[in-house]
Amino acid sequence: MNGVKTDKSYWDYTWRTIPLPKLGKSYAKDINWYVIWKFYKYFHQIFSNMKTEGKNILEIGCARSVWLPFFSKEFGFNIYGIDYSEIGCQQAMQILSKESVMGEIVCADLFSPPRSMLETFDVVVSFGVLEHFKDTEVCIAAFSKFLKPGGLLITNIPNMLGLNGLLQKIINRAIYNIHVPININTLRRAHQINGLRIISCNYFLFTNLGALNIENLKGSLFYKVARLRSWINKVVWTIERGIPALKPNRWSSPYINCVAIKK
């Protein structure tokens, strides 16, 4: 399936075995919500000059999404999601219902979606989807087909070529192997080749060791030691919040975000 490095059974098992995520609050001052707070600020900046009320937003890879309720409540978007995991789709609907948000979740392969979904959306967003496919350009082409002309594509991927990627390779090689390491230039070029005009393409956050996946190490001594990462995060985030000198960069940043417009 288009050079995919994972399959549906992997995601079905993953979503079945881990608890549903908690939803953060944009006003939370607790340092534990620092990453969510930074994402909230990021999206408010992106949409600051855009009329979002009543517009259509699609999340690709929407399994158990915590972002769809946010996009509805904060910006007034009409909510849509697509994912090929039935379990993930059910959990996404469960979260929407819990948050009293109306939305449509479509269980389908993003490369073979219902034709009615093509060129339908004002905004298309994905979190950690692109890097699971070997052909980055083909995947971005599939993403862009959902957009109306002039629509906005927001792509978030992990920075697997930085510190987090190195640590992931060392402590949990199986998880590292289901990712394609993508640098910022490759990400930018994949959008441009598909006729998308780059608005911004940047590293995001100074660090977040919580992005490391250690779930399949549960029960081991290493898992108990690795959980100390949360305390390291809190120290760094406290410094980052108070000292602007800690900037996102190619070495320590956990994510890359790209925003582009469909011409």
Short mmCIF file of all heavy atoms in Angstrom, two decimals, residues 14-24 33 62-66 86-99 215 218:
data_model
loop_
_atom_site.label_atom_id
_atom_site.label_comp_id
_atom_site.label_asym_id
_atom_site.label_seq_id
_atom_site.Cartn_x
_atom_site.Cartn_y
_atom_site.Cartn_z
N THR A 14 -2.51 -1.43 18.53
CA THR A 14 -2.04 -0.30 19.34
C THR A 14 -3.20 0.42 20.00
O THR A 14 -3.19 0.69 21.20
CB THR A 14 -1.24 0.68 18.46
OG1 THR A 14 -0.11 0.00 17.90
CG2 THR A 14 -0.76 1.87 19.29
N TRP A 15 -4.23 0.77 19.22
CA TRP A 15 -5.35 1.53 19.76
C TRP A 15 -6.16 0.70 20.75
O TRP A 15 -6.75 1.22 21.69
CB TRP A 15 -6.26 2.02 18.65
CG TRP A 15 -5.60 2.85 17.60
CD1 TRP A 15 -5.89 2.86 16.27
CD2 TRP A 15 -4.54 3.82 17.77
NE1 TRP A 15 -5.09 3.76 15.59
CE2 TRP A 15 -4.26 4.36 16.50
CE3 TRP A 15 -3.81 4.28 18.88
CZ2 TRP A 15 -3.26 5.33 16.30
CZ3 TRP A 15 -2.82 5.23 18.68
CH2 TRP A 15 -2.57 5.75 17.42
N ARG A 16 -6.15 -0.61 20.58
CA ARG A 16 -6.91 -1.48 21.48
C ARG A 16 -6.23 -1.63 22.84
O ARG A 16 -6.90 -1.88 23.84
CB ARG A 16 -7.07 -2.87 20.84
CG ARG A 16 -8.02 -3.82 21.59
CD ARG A 16 -8.07 -5.19 20.95
NE ARG A 16 -8.59 -5.16 19.60
CZ ARG A 16 -7.88 -5.47 18.51
NH1 ARG A 16 -6.62 -5.82 18.62
NH2 ARG A 16 -8.43 -5.43 17.32
N THR A 17 -4.92 -1.46 22.88
CA THR A 17 -4.18 -1.80 24.09
C THR A 17 -3.73 -0.60 24.93
O THR A 17 -3.20 -0.80 26.03
CB THR A 17 -2.93 -2.63 23.74
OG1 THR A 17 -2.16 -1.93 22.74
CG2 THR A 17 -3.34 -3.98 23.19
N ILE A 18 -3.90 0.62 24.44
CA ILE A 18 -3.52 1.77 25.25
C ILE A 18 -4.75 2.62 25.56
O ILE A 18 -5.68 2.68 24.75
CB ILE A 18 -2.43 2.63 24.57
CG1 ILE A 18 -2.91 3.18 23.22
CG2 ILE A 18 -1.14 1.84 24.39
CD1 ILE A 18 -1.90 4.09 22.55
N PRO A 19 -4.79 3.27 26.71
CA PRO A 19 -5.97 4.05 27.10
C PRO A 19 -6.19 5.27 26.21
O PRO A 19 -5.25 5.76 25.57
CB PRO A 19 -5.66 4.46 28.54
CG PRO A 19 -4.17 4.41 28.64
CD PRO A 19 -3.73 3.30 27.74
N LEU A 20 -7.43 5.74 26.19
CA LEU A 20 -7.73 6.94 25.41
C LEU A 20 -6.96 8.13 25.97
O LEU A 20 -6.76 8.23 27.18
CB LEU A 20 -9.24 7.23 25.46
CG LEU A 20 -10.15 6.35 24.62
CD1 LEU A 20 -11.60 6.73 24.85
CD2 LEU A 20 -9.83 6.47 23.14
N PRO A 21 -6.53 9.03 25.09
CA PRO A 21 -5.76 10.19 25.57
C PRO A 21 -6.65 11.18 26.31
O PRO A 21 -7.86 11.24 26.09
CB PRO A 21 -5.24 10.81 24.26
CG PRO A 21 -6.24 10.40 23.23
CD PRO A 21 -6.70 9.03 23.63
N LYS A 22 -6.02 11.94 27.19
CA LYS A 22 -6.73 13.01 27.88
C LYS A 22 -6.69 14.27 27.02
O LYS A 22 -5.73 14.51 26.30
CB LYS A 22 -6.08 13.29 29.24
CG LYS A 22 -6.16 12.13 30.22
CD LYS A 22 -5.46 12.48 31.52
CE LYS A 22 -5.51 11.32 32.51
NZ LYS A 22 -4.81 11.65 33.79
N LEU A 23 -7.73 15.07 27.12
CA LEU A 23 -7.78 16.31 26.38
C LEU A 23 -7.22 17.44 27.22
O LEU A 23 -7.60 17.60 28.38
CB LEU A 23 -9.21 16.65 25.94
CG LEU A 23 -9.65 16.04 24.59
CD1 LEU A 23 -9.72 14.53 24.68
CD2 LEU A 23 -10.97 16.61 24.14
N GLY A 24 -6.31 18.21 26.65
CA GLY A 24 -5.75 19.35 27.33
C GLY A 24 -6.67 20.55 27.25
O GLY A 24 -7.67 20.54 26.54
N TRP A 33 1.10 20.26 30.69
CA TRP A 33 0.36 20.52 29.45
C TRP A 33 1.14 21.46 28.51
O TRP A 33 0.58 22.02 27.58
CB TRP A 33 -1.00 21.15 29.76
CG TRP A 33 -1.94 20.22 30.46
CD1 TRP A 33 -2.30 20.26 31.78
CD2 TRP A 33 -2.64 19.12 29.90
NE1 TRP A 33 -3.18 19.24 32.07
CE2 TRP A 33 -3.41 18.53 30.93
CE3 TRP A 33 -2.70 18.56 28.62
CZ2 TRP A 33 -4.21 17.42 30.73
CZ3 TRP A 33 -3.51 17.45 28.42
CH2 TRP A 33 -4.25 16.89 29.46
N CYS A 62 -7.00 10.16 11.75
CA CYS A 62 -7.72 10.79 12.87
C CYS A 62 -8.01 9.85 14.03
O CYS A 62 -8.76 10.20 14.93
CB CYS A 62 -9.04 11.38 12.36
SG CYS A 62 -10.24 10.10 11.90
N ALA A 63 -7.44 8.65 14.02
CA ALA A 63 -7.73 7.69 15.09
C ALA A 63 -7.58 8.35 16.46
O ALA A 63 -6.58 9.00 16.72
CB ALA A 63 -6.81 6.49 14.99
N ARG A 64 -8.62 8.20 17.30
CA ARG A 64 -8.66 8.72 18.67
C ARG A 64 -8.16 10.16 18.77
O ARG A 64 -7.44 10.53 19.69
CB ARG A 64 -7.88 7.79 19.61
CG ARG A 64 -6.43 7.61 19.21
CD ARG A 64 -5.59 6.82 20.18
NE ARG A 64 -6.28 5.68 20.75
CZ ARG A 64 -6.05 5.23 21.99
NH1 ARG A 64 -5.16 5.81 22.74
NH2 ARG A 64 -6.70 4.20 22.45
N SER A 65 -8.58 11.00 17.81
CA SER A 65 -8.06 12.37 17.74
C SER A 65 -8.53 13.23 18.90
O SER A 65 -9.72 13.32 19.21
CB SER A 65 -8.50 13.03 16.44
OG SER A 65 -8.15 14.40 16.43
N VAL A 66 -7.58 13.94 19.53
CA VAL A 66 -7.90 14.95 20.53
C VAL A 66 -7.96 16.33 19.89
O VAL A 66 -8.39 17.30 20.53
CB VAL A 66 -6.86 14.97 21.68
CG1 VAL A 66 -6.86 13.65 22.41
CG2 VAL A 66 -5.47 15.29 21.15
N GLU A 86 -10.78 0.72 12.02
CA GLU A 86 -12.15 0.81 12.55
C GLU A 86 -12.13 1.16 14.03
O GLU A 86 -12.94 1.97 14.50
CB GLU A 86 -12.91 -0.50 12.34
CG GLU A 86 -13.26 -0.82 10.90
CD GLU A 86 -12.18 -1.61 10.19
OE1 GLU A 86 -11.09 -1.78 10.80
OE2 GLU A 86 -12.41 -2.04 9.04
N ILE A 87 -11.21 0.55 14.77
CA ILE A 87 -11.11 0.82 16.21
C ILE A 87 -10.74 2.28 16.44
O ILE A 87 -11.33 2.97 17.28
CB ILE A 87 -10.07 -0.12 16.86
CG1 ILE A 87 -10.54 -1.57 16.78
CG2 ILE A 87 -9.81 0.28 18.31
CD1 ILE A 87 -9.50 -2.58 17.21
N GLY A 88 -9.76 2.76 15.67
CA GLY A 88 -9.35 4.16 15.81
C GLY A 88 -10.47 5.12 15.48
O GLY A 88 -10.64 6.16 16.15
N CYS A 89 -11.27 4.80 14.46
CA CYS A 89 -12.41 5.64 14.07
C CYS A 89 -13.48 5.65 15.16
O CYS A 89 -14.05 6.70 15.49
CB CYS A 89 -13.00 5.17 12.75
SG CYS A 89 -11.96 5.51 11.31
N GLN A 90 -13.75 4.48 15.72
CA GLN A 90 -14.73 4.39 16.81
C GLN A 90 -14.29 5.23 18.01
O GLN A 90 -15.10 5.92 18.63
CB GLN A 90 -14.91 2.93 17.22
CG GLN A 90 -15.60 2.06 16.18
CD GLN A 90 -15.49 0.58 16.49
OE1 GLN A 90 -15.01 0.19 17.56
NE2 GLN A 90 -15.91 -0.26 15.56
N GLN A 91 -13.00 5.20 18.30
CA GLN A 91 -12.49 5.97 19.43
C GLN A 91 -12.54 7.47 19.14
O GLN A 91 -12.78 8.27 20.04
CB GLN A 91 -11.08 5.51 19.77
CG GLN A 91 -11.04 4.10 20.33
CD GLN A 91 -9.62 3.59 20.58
OE1 GLN A 91 -8.66 4.11 20.01
NE2 GLN A 91 -9.49 2.58 21.42
N ALA A 92 -12.31 7.84 17.88
CA ALA A 92 -12.42 9.26 17.51
C ALA A 92 -13.85 9.75 17.70
O ALA A 92 -14.07 10.85 18.23
CB ALA A 92 -11.99 9.45 16.05
N MET A 93 -14.82 8.94 17.32
CA MET A 93 -16.23 9.30 17.51
C MET A 93 -16.58 9.34 18.99
O MET A 93 -17.36 10.20 19.43
CB MET A 93 -17.14 8.30 16.79
CG MET A 93 -17.15 8.45 15.28
SD MET A 93 -17.70 10.10 14.74
CE MET A 93 -19.32 10.21 15.48
N GLN A 94 -16.00 8.44 19.76
CA GLN A 94 -16.23 8.41 21.21
C GLN A 94 -15.75 9.71 21.86
O GLN A 94 -16.44 10.29 22.72
CB GLN A 94 -15.50 7.21 21.82
CG GLN A 94 -15.73 7.02 23.30
CD GLN A 94 -14.99 5.79 23.83
OE1 GLN A 94 -14.58 4.91 23.08
NE2 GLN A 94 -14.79 5.74 25.14
N ILE A 95 -14.59 10.19 21.44
CA ILE A 95 -14.04 11.44 21.98
C ILE A 95 -14.90 12.63 21.55
O ILE A 95 -15.20 13.51 22.36
CB ILE A 95 -12.58 11.62 21.53
CG1 ILE A 95 -11.69 10.57 22.22
CG2 ILE A 95 -12.08 13.03 21.86
CD1 ILE A 95 -10.27 10.53 21.71
N LEU A 96 -15.33 12.66 20.30
CA LEU A 96 -16.19 13.75 19.83
C LEU A 96 -17.49 13.78 20.64
O LEU A 96 -17.96 14.84 21.06
CB LEU A 96 -16.51 13.58 18.34
CG LEU A 96 -15.39 13.89 17.35
CD1 LEU A 96 -15.84 13.56 15.93
CD2 LEU A 96 -14.97 15.36 17.43
N SER A 97 -18.08 12.59 20.86
CA SER A 97 -19.32 12.51 21.62
C SER A 97 -19.12 12.99 23.05
O SER A 97 -19.96 13.73 23.59
CB SER A 97 -19.84 11.07 21.60
OG SER A 97 -21.00 10.93 22.40
N LYS A 98 -18.01 12.57 23.65
CA LYS A 98 -17.72 12.98 25.02
C LYS A 98 -17.58 14.49 25.14
O LYS A 98 -17.95 15.09 26.15
CB LYS A 98 -16.43 12.30 25.49
CG LYS A 98 -16.06 12.59 26.93
CD LYS A 98 -14.79 11.85 27.32
CE LYS A 98 -14.40 12.16 28.76
NZ LYS A 98 -13.14 11.45 29.16
N GLU A 99 -17.07 15.12 24.07
CA GLU A 99 -16.87 16.57 24.06
C GLU A 99 -18.07 17.32 23.47
O GLU A 99 -18.00 18.54 23.29
CB GLU A 99 -15.61 16.90 23.26
CG GLU A 99 -14.32 16.42 23.89
CD GLU A 99 -14.06 17.07 25.24
OE1 GLU A 99 -14.12 18.31 25.32
OE2 GLU A 99 -13.81 16.32 26.21
N GLU A 215 6.13 2.24 24.81
CA GLU A 215 4.99 1.47 25.31
C GLU A 215 5.25 -0.04 25.27
O GLU A 215 4.82 -0.77 26.17
CB GLU A 215 3.74 1.81 24.51
CG GLU A 215 3.20 3.21 24.76
CD GLU A 215 2.88 3.46 26.22
OE1 GLU A 215 2.24 2.59 26.84
OE2 GLU A 215 3.29 4.51 26.75
N LYS A 218 6.99 -1.96 28.37
CA LYS A 218 6.38 -2.01 29.69
C LYS A 218 6.75 -3.30 30.43
O LYS A 218 6.79 -4.37 29.84
CB LYS A 218 4.86 -1.90 29.58
CG LYS A 218 4.36 -0.48 29.39
CD LYS A 218 2.85 -0.42 29.41
CE LYS A 218 2.36 1.02 29.32
NZ LYS A 218 0.88 1.10 29.32
#
